[in-house]
Amino acid sequence: MSEGPNPTPGRSPLNQRFGRLVAHARWSLWWEEAWPRLWLPFAIVLLFFTLSWLGLWLDASPLWRTIGLGLFAAAFLLSVWPLFRLRMPNRTRALDRLDRETGLTHGPARVLDDTLALGTADPGTKALWALHRKRAEDAVGTMRVGLPQPNMAKRDRYALRAAGRLALVTSAF
């Protein structure tokens, strides 16, 4: 596999569009992995504000306030830890996502990122490869990257994330 797409040499419009599509696919994949990991720290902050606005800290002694704040800080720091292991998805995963969302069976994104390995001296092989690449290049115009889908409904079946936001809003009033 080559470093980048090679539909045409240089920075052709096709090459630029394909590069933007791959970058968008990588960011979409990153967000799909990041949002479920971001939700727990967000929920801890929501809980802290909810309890604060309900007046929990007003009735507690200074020692218990310090302990409570320390527990919330520790919980927040522990919940942020998975974010440090989060990495940008590689180009291969982005190409797979593009191919999956394009819906074409011949995988045009992977074709554009590939080169002919064998048969470079054979004119028939070169012609077939050129036709295959031409079809892939034509497909770039129809490629789209959908919005990220972190699938939180599957991870949070009881919609507890909505309960946290509801509790925050009601405690504010």
Side-chain angles (χ1 to χ4, degrees), residues 39-40 42-51 53-54 156 158-172:
W39 180 247
L40 185 57
F42 185 62
I44 290 171
V45 170
L46 286 178
L47 180 63
F48 177 79
F49 281 131
T50 300
L51 293 177
W53 288 343
L54 288 174
D156 184 14
Y158 300 109
L160 295 176
R161 62 193 185 280
R165 291 182 294 214
L166 181 64
L168 179 75
V169 169
T170 55
S171 68

Side-chain angles (χ1 to χ4, degrees), residues 56 114 123:
L56 174 74
D114 205 0

Side-chain angles (χ1 to χ4, degrees), residues 21 95-109 139-140 142-145:
L21 285 168
L95 293 173
D96 288 343
R97 170 136 185 185
L98 277 172
D99 284 338
R100 186 174 55 251
E101 289 188 4
T102 301
L104 299 174
T105 57
H106 65 280
V140 170
T142 63
M143 283 185 185
R144 301 282 183 269
V145 179

Side-chain angles (χ1 to χ4, degrees), residues 57-121:
W57 310 118
L58 296 175
D59 295 333
S61 68
L63 173 66
W64 284 109
R65 285 183 203 160
T66 306
I67 290 172
L69 184 62
L71 288 174
F72 270 105
F76 180 77
L77 290 175
L78 285 174
S79 70
V80 172
W81 182 252
L83 290 172
F84 292 119
R85 296 181 303 164
L86 188 62
R87 301 288 178 252
M88 182 63 78
N90 61 19
R91 184 175 179 86
T92 305
R93 287 189 55 208
L95 293 173
D96 288 343
R97 170 136 185 185
L98 277 172
D99 284 338
R100 186 174 55 251
E101 289 188 4
T102 301
L104 299 174
T105 57
H106 65 280
R110 287 298 203 115
V111 171
L112 289 174
D113 209 48
D114 205 0
T115 56
L116 183 60
L118 299 172
T120 55

